[in-house]
Amino acid sequence: MLLTPINRNYHDFKIDRDKDLCINCKVCVRQCSYQAHYWDENRKKVMHDNSKCVGCHRCEALCPTAALNIRQNDSEFRTNALWRPVFIKNIYKQADTGGVLLTGMGSPVDIPIYYDKLLLDASQVTNPSIDPLREPMELRTFLGAKPDRLEFEKGKDGKPILKTKLTPQIQLETPLMFSAMSFGSINFNLHIAMARAATKLGICYNTGEGGLHPSLYMYGKNTIVQVASGRFGVHRDYLNAGAAIEIKIGQGAKPGIGGHLPGEKINAKVSETRMVPLGSDAISPAPHHDIYSIEDLLQLIYALKEASEYRLPVSVKIAAVHNAAAIASGVVRAGADIVVIDGMRGGTGAAPGMIRDNVGIPVELALAAVDQRLRDEGIRHRASIVAASGHRCSADVVKAIALGADAVYIATAALLAVGCTLCARCYTGKCPWGIATNDAELAKRQNPEVAEQKLINLIQAWSHEIQEMLGGMGLNSIESLRGNRDKLRAVGLSQAEMDILGVKHAGK
Amino acid sequence: MKAPLRYHEFDKDISGCGIFGVIHKKRGLIPGHMPSCAMATMHDRGNGLGGGFAAYGIYPEQADKYAFHLMCETEGALESAREVITKFFTIHDSQPIPTRKVLAIKNAPIVWRFFLTPKRKGERPTFRDLGEEDFVVAVVMHINAKVHGAFVFSSGKNMGAFKGVGFPEDIAEFFRVEDYRAYIWTAHNRFPTNTPGWWGGAHPFTLLDWSIVHNGEISSYGINMRYLCENDYLCTLMTDTEVVAYLLDLLVRRHGLSRKLCSKVFAPPFWDEIDRMPPEEKRMYTALRATYGSAMLNGPFAILVGSSKCLWGLNDRVKLRPLVVAEKGDMVFMSSEESAIREVQPDLDRVWMPKAGEPVIVETEV
Ligand code: SF4
Ligand code: SF4
């Protein structure tokens, strides 16, 4: 008894197996990558170990007789407002391991979600709402720097000819993109699915920092290639393969720290794409070691523009931190064509829980502050703004655009679309849904064609909903929503919060 | 400019309206009786909370001077305004705007006009770097924002606005509009749903020699006003018309866009139309929409814009508000309703409904 760790019984989930329904077919045994289910030779039946369950619900979904139910463990600690169970359990774990508590996915903690406190407007009487089924409802969006004015000259026939040459832009048919998830953190099946879905939808997906496998170059027009601190897979062809280049300075889920892809996830294909040895850990340093200040960022931006012969817009992604507005202003002045603001609710393949749950600020506040700052300084046109982190539905997207975003990056929602259940164990490499894993057996659970169709469906569904909401507000084009904060009203927010968001309280 | 504190805390004016405009292409003078009769026909498009007219060619003797029309709540306010004007301009003439007592018009402000030439750059107390037109705009904005109880409601050359709280036909009587003869008239009847009557809030809205009458509700107001603020225009009246006026000033006067292109910023062609255009045109319209998206006017509108050389009508791109155009000889009429045109010109050579988003631009030939 003394050898049993304190932890043994304080697990999060309980596997509830209906004995009458179970036919001992062992599907759950084969499906569970954590060995929570096992065949008990002595008893001749399938048994389970609750402490191993991560709550991914894979077994429950595949059990042919619906015999399984995964529940929260109802064993309770004595109620304590300060020492909530999560802190107690974390201490037990750290006392056992002496290590940093790793976790995956976006933060589950109760950070205010401002989207829930913002409500949208609709037309009544004084202006007509527009029906997207009868009238055009335009979502096309261009990302990239815009001139502050256009110049024209008169052609021979007296018609105007545009003199101003626009810098490179990304054209999106709907203001949504798949955010950076590296090949390695998720597997190749999903990279193909994202690339094809983005191509069919006329939007872009982001490679993340893991390079781009040569077989995906054909989807380049709909690809944003990322350059992060580890520079994995970065070479001339890679930089020129996509529609834009993104410099990743920070990630909302883990601002201020780097990344670590464990060697177990580096298989042959990943190793080839990342240009790192097979099976070795791929570590991204916390900062870029050639960027210690804003003028260094300027140099990298222009180095990338040179490398791509000024054909591609350069995007810079920063985590939403306290001085996001001032930082974004510097980033735009350094020559970025797109600024991505990644809030603290963003997902991750792996991050220390302390960082994920405590560092950074919600994207709504950062986005609103950045948009306003760039306008105050008269440089908003010089860069597009993309918001990322925890956009759960089309209404969140509409609210983000009304706050000032040009487009929204989604990643967690995209993974949910292909079956992720937010078990938050992506860092283990054992994702039972075949997403955050390169184990061939597990990865097989994702069929690229099916995943592609799910992603297409999701974006189409959201786009239709965005059109409905736009039409309801009496708008027929997305650019009239962008930064139109008059379409938002706050409920239950303080004056300080409303001032930062630039919105009135509901009823005003 | 940096947005003022709580700039988002505005209370926007919402209104429906009737509009009318007429231009004589050879600059033949049209008596004020015509627009006032036309507006009386569209009586029901307003609710007595705002009416007004703008007239071009009414001060031929003073055509080279800026004609400032002021409304002041008190004599004191007029004096304060006069003091400010004296600092920036040479006053050539200063006189009350002729009015008559009208039963329906209550609480009229003091209305006054000045004929002015700007002081040379070195002699101005501030705004020394500004070109003449920007300077005039700056002084007008300064008076309207800073001189309590005084409001400059038109500031162009050889033109003027006459407006206030009341039905347009009553306002016409009050200002003796029938005594003026102009080669362009614009007129407005207003149906505000939320503002208590304020004389300055009536339309036409004017800036330099632009005058704008507008029927509609601009649903993109929230972004239009922020875009204007970036470009140093502060919206203070919270009306759609004000936004249209500043956007015109920015796009046409400051950015040098033609009226046609400006119309295409306000009511751009749809993307599927642009996709079918020849490459050069496609490039142009794509750039226009990508660059000036925040200046697009989204929502139902019909607008008439007057200036010294032109009358210009425009509808939103799905035509959610009425606009009829008609011709008779050298005259072109634009109105919310055909009845208003027929009332003042029963026999017309041609009557048509301009297509959604297609501007009608009529310039004077002399
Ligand atoms: S999958 Fe269902 S039926 Fe099969 S062994 Fe597991 S619990 Fe029993
Ligand atoms: S991707 Fe897989 S491991 Fe990560 S949260 Fe989703 S289901 Fe769990």
Side-chain angles (χ1 to χ4, degrees):
Chain A
M1 213 41 203
L2 259 180
L3 295 172
T4 312
I6 301 173
N7 240 344
R8 184 66 185 76
N9 286 316
Y10 302 142
H11 45 81
D12 294 331
F13 296 98
K14 223 173 93 187
I15 298 170
D16 183 352
R17 184 187 315 272
D18 187 320
K19 286 197 197 87
D20 292 339
L21 292 176
C22 179
I23 51 169
N24 289 306
C25 70
K26 299 188 206 162
V27 163
C28 50
V29 178
R30 287 192 297 276
Q31 289 298 326
C32 186
S33 47
Y34 295 92
Q35 284 91 44
H37 302 272
Y38 61 91
W39 176 251
D40 190 321
E41 197 46 52
N42 296 330
R43 296 184 189 159
K44 294 277 181 250
K45 65 176 185 176
V46 173
M47 300 284 286
H48 55 260
D49 176 353
N50 287 327
S51 69
K52 288 186 175 160
C53 178
V54 301
C56 78
H57 294 266
R58 177 79 188 179
C59 56
E60 190 183 287
L62 270 82
C63 170
T65 63
L68 290 169
N69 255 313
I70 306 302
R71 300 180 191 282
Q72 300 275 357
N73 186 1
D74 41 18
S75 156
E76 280 164 5
F77 291 97
R78 177 179 286 277
T79 310
N80 189 316
L82 178 64
W83 293 100
R84 297 192 297 276
V86 54
F87 294 111
I88 299 173
K89 289 184 195 176
N90 281 347
I91 285 177
Y92 291 157
K93 278 186 211 155
Q94 289 188 302
D96 279 349
T97 64
V100 169
L101 292 166
L102 262 192
T103 181
M105 271 299 154
S107 180
V109 307
D110 192 13
I111 307 159
I113 302 165
Y114 287 96
Y115 289 136
D116 290 342
K117 307 272 184 191
L118 293 171
L119 300 175
L120 295 168
D121 195 20
S123 300
Q124 297 290 295
V125 184
T126 55
N127 63 347
S129 41
I130 304 170
D131 182 349
L133 296 175
R134 291 159 194 269
E135 307 277 351
M137 192 59 65
E138 302 184 310
L139 302 183
R140 188 179 290 179
T141 299
F142 288 87
L143 301 183
K146 312 289 186 300
D148 69 331
R149 66 174 67 186
L150 292 178
E151 286 182 37
F152 297 87
E153 54 195 4
K154 261 213 168 75
K156 283 196 202 89
D157 51 357
K159 280 194 181 161
I161 297 176
L162 181 63
K163 249 171 72 182
T164 315
K165 212 172 162 303
L166 250 58
T167 51
Q169 308 280 324
I170 309 179
Q171 180 175 329
L172 303 175
E173 294 309 323
T174 187
L176 291 163
M177 297 188 286
F178 300 123
S179 194
M181 291 177 281
S182 69
F183 172 39
S185 75
I186 60 172
N187 60 60
F188 193 68
N189 286 342
L190 290 167
H191 260 241
I192 299 191
M194 280 202 296
R196 290 190 189 148
T199 304
K200 286 204 182 141
L201 289 160
I203 61 170
C204 281
Y205 84 104
N206 190 310
T207 59
E209 61 171 309
L212 181 65
H213 194 265
S215 63
L216 297 181
Y217 275 38
M218 59 192 282
Y219 304 106
K221 264 176 61 188
N222 300 83
T223 307
I224 297 174
V225 299
Q226 201 179 56
V227 174
S229 61
R231 302 289 152 84
F232 298 120
V234 176
H235 49 86
R236 198 182 65 187
D237 293 347
Y238 171 74
L239 293 176
N240 283 285
I245 303 172
E246 180 169 289
I247 301 172
K248 174 190 176 184
I249 297 293
Q251 186 174 338
K254 42 179 174 177
I257 65 166
H260 179 174
L261 191 69
E264 300 88 74
K265 272 187 155 180
I266 313 272
N267 62 20
K269 213 166 191 168
V270 174
S271 135
E272 171 196 351
T273 311
R274 289 210 176 208
M275 309 194 303
V276 294
L278 196 70
S280 75
D281 290 6
I283 295 175
S284 307
H288 286 244
H289 283 302
D290 52 359
I291 304 180
Y292 284 5
S293 74
I294 192 80
E295 61 273 22
D296 293 343
L297 174 67
L298 180 138
Q299 291 202 7
L300 180 61
I301 291 174
Y302 280 92
L304 294 175
K305 289 190 179 190
E306 289 285 341
S308 57
E309 295 169 339
Y310 294 86
R311 288 182 308 102
L312 304 174
V314 171
S315 160
V316 173
K317 174 174 175 174
I318 56 169
V321 289
H322 300 180
N323 291 322
I327 296 164
S329 162
V331 167
V332 174
R333 288 173 195 282
D337 302 295
I338 301 166
V339 189
V340 182
I341 304 160
D342 195 12
M344 79 175 294
R345 293 192 304 262
T348 173
M354 285 304 121
I355 306 274
R356 185 193 66 176
D357 298 345
N358 293 285
V359 181
I361 62 173
V363 69
E364 300 94 323
L365 299 178
L367 164 64
V370 168
D371 176 69
Q372 188 57 49
R373 174 69 71 93
L374 297 184
R375 288 179 197 274
D376 284 346
E377 295 181 4
I379 54 173
R380 177 63 180 83
H381 60 278
R382 279 167 52 183
S384 296
I385 300 179
V386 178
S389 84
H391 292 86
R392 302 157 298 173
C393 59
S394 56
D396 287 356
V397 175
V398 168
K399 290 168 189 176
I401 293 174
L403 284 175
D406 289 79
V408 168
Y409 259 143
I410 60 165
T412 304
L415 295 189
L416 288 170
V418 299
C420 162
T421 52
L422 288 187
C423 72
R425 292 294 190 284
C426 320
Y427 59 93
T428 63
K430 294 195 220 167
C431 175
W433 291 93
I435 300 165
T437 176
N438 296 317
D439 177 310
E441 279 304 304
L442 294 172
K444 221 166 55 182
R445 297 180 181 181
Q446 286 292 334
N447 175 326
E449 269 97 67
V450 175
E452 172 193 335
Q453 194 54 48
K454 298 243 183 208
L455 293 172
I456 291 175
N457 289 349
L458 178 73
I459 298 290
Q460 281 177 342
W462 284 21
S463 301
H464 286 312
E465 290 174 343
I466 293 170
Q467 288 177 321
E468 291 286 350
M469 286 181 263
L470 264 186
M473 291 188 258
L475 302 174
N476 58 12
S477 194
I478 195 81
E479 60 257 47
S480 297
L481 176 68
R482 191 184 310 136
N484 192 345
R485 300 182 184 177
D486 190 32
K487 297 295 180 206
L488 298 170
R489 289 291 186 279
V491 277
L493 293 184
S494 69
Q495 189 62 54
E497 289 167 313
M498 287 189 290
D499 284 348
I500 293 162
L501 293 167
V503 299
K504 292 189 258 188
H505 200 278
K508 268 196 180 174
Chain B
M1 69 173 79
K2 185 170 173 357
L5 187 69
R6 310 237 162 100
Y7 194 47
H8 58 275
E9 287 267 352
F10 56 83
D11 221 336
K12 191 173 154 252
D13 195 47
I14 295 174
S15 63
C17 310
I19 55 176
F20 176 83
V22 57
I23 177 170
H24 195 292
K25 288 193 265 187
K26 300 248 163 32
R27 297 200 185 223
L29 294 177
I30 301 162
H33 182 64
M34 181 195 274
S36 130
C37 270
M39 290 316 288
T41 312
M42 297 193 286
H43 180 91
D44 284 355
R45 298 190 77 87
N47 62 1
L49 289 180
F53 302 83
Y56 292 80
I58 53 173
Y59 300 132
E61 322 277 283
Q62 312 261 25
D64 55 337
K65 319 268 187 334
Y66 287 95
F68 274 30
H69 284 191
L70 271 77
M71 47 179 76
C72 302
E73 282 165 20
T74 57
E75 288 291 343
L78 177 58
E79 275 328 297
S80 317
R82 189 196 301 274
E83 264 172 47
V84 174
I85 290 172
T86 317
K87 282 188 201 154
F88 293 97
F89 290 92
T90 309
I91 301 180
H92 297 274
D93 238 326
S94 160
Q95 55 193 228
I97 300 176
T99 55
R100 67 160 70 91
K101 279 216 161 10
V102 178
L103 215 57
I105 301 289
K106 304 204 168 63
N107 304 325
I110 301 162
V111 287
W112 202 270
R113 66 191 167 202
F114 295 94
F115 292 94
L116 309 166
T117 44
K119 289 203 168 156
R120 279 204 305 274
K121 290 188 175 176
E123 298 164 2
R124 304 171 187 166
T126 47
F127 307 130
R128 289 189 178 189
D129 302 334
L130 298 180
E132 184 170 308
E133 293 189 322
D134 283 325
F135 166 73
V136 175
V137 172
V139 177
V140 169
M141 293 207 172
H142 174 75
I143 297 173
N144 291 353
K146 296 284 156 64
V147 182
H148 187 74
F151 185 72
V152 182
F153 64 101
S154 77
S155 53
K157 286 179 177 171
N158 198 13
M159 63 80 70
F162 306 95
K163 64 182 188 180
V165 175
F167 281 104
E169 56 272 27
D170 299 328
I171 293 294
E173 229 187 306
F174 174 79
F175 277 108
R176 313 178 74 104
V177 160
E178 75 277 6
D179 293 347
Y180 297 90
R181 287 152 59 79
Y183 60 90
I184 299 174
W185 285 96
T186 57
H188 192 257
N189 190 7
R190 189 148 172 264
F191 200 132
T193 55
N194 64 352
T195 28
W198 173 56
W199 279 56
H203 303 162
F205 185 91
T206 68
L207 189 72
L208 295 168
D209 78 342
W210 296 109
S211 75
I212 293 119
V213 291
H214 160 264
N215 169 24
E217 181 176 341
I218 294 172
S219 311
S220 52
Y221 183 88
I223 182 56
N224 298 144
M225 73 170 294
R226 294 182 78 209
Y227 177 66
L228 283 169
C229 184
E230 283 170 64
N231 287 285
D232 301 329
Y233 296 87
L234 222 45
C235 295
T236 53
L237 299 175
M238 305 313 163
T239 65
D240 292 330
T241 318
E242 179 189 38
V243 154
V244 177
Y246 294 158
L247 285 173
L248 279 174
D249 191 62
L250 174 70
L251 298 177
V252 178
R253 192 173 63 82
R254 279 171 52 189
H255 288 190
L257 261 56
S258 69
R259 288 174 166 77
K260 172 98 194 276
L261 281 171
C262 178
S263 306
K264 296 298 176 190
V265 170
F266 289 170
F270 289 99
W271 286 117
D272 64 352
E273 221 175 299
I274 293 174
D275 288 343
R276 279 181 273 120
M277 290 176 178
E280 192 48 40
E281 222 172 310
K282 181 175 171 182
R283 190 175 75 89
M284 182 174 88
Y285 280 107
T286 303
L288 201 69
R289 286 195 68 172
T291 308
Y292 289 116
S294 302
M296 171 178 175
L297 300 177
N298 213 320
F301 69 81
I303 308 173
L304 299 183
V305 182
S307 63
S308 59
K309 285 195 199 71
C310 174
L311 179 65
W312 165 19
L314 180 67
N315 253 154
D316 64 84
R317 59 192 196 141
V318 280
K319 199 155 176 124
L320 296 169
R321 287 289 154 95
L323 183 65
V324 190
V325 182
E327 277 174 354
K328 173 68 189 172
D330 286 323
M331 282 192 293
V332 181
F333 303 86
M334 304 183 188
S335 169
S336 299
E337 294 179 18
E338 188 177 334
S339 62
I341 305 176
R342 294 275 180 198
E343 171 70 16
V344 295
Q345 189 70 50
D347 55 325
L348 295 165
D349 301 340
R350 190 157 87 98
V351 183
W352 76 97
M353 297 264 189
K355 273 206 207 130
E358 272 306 316
V360 182
I361 300 167
V362 185
E363 302 202 344
T364 55
E365 289 162 5
V366 287

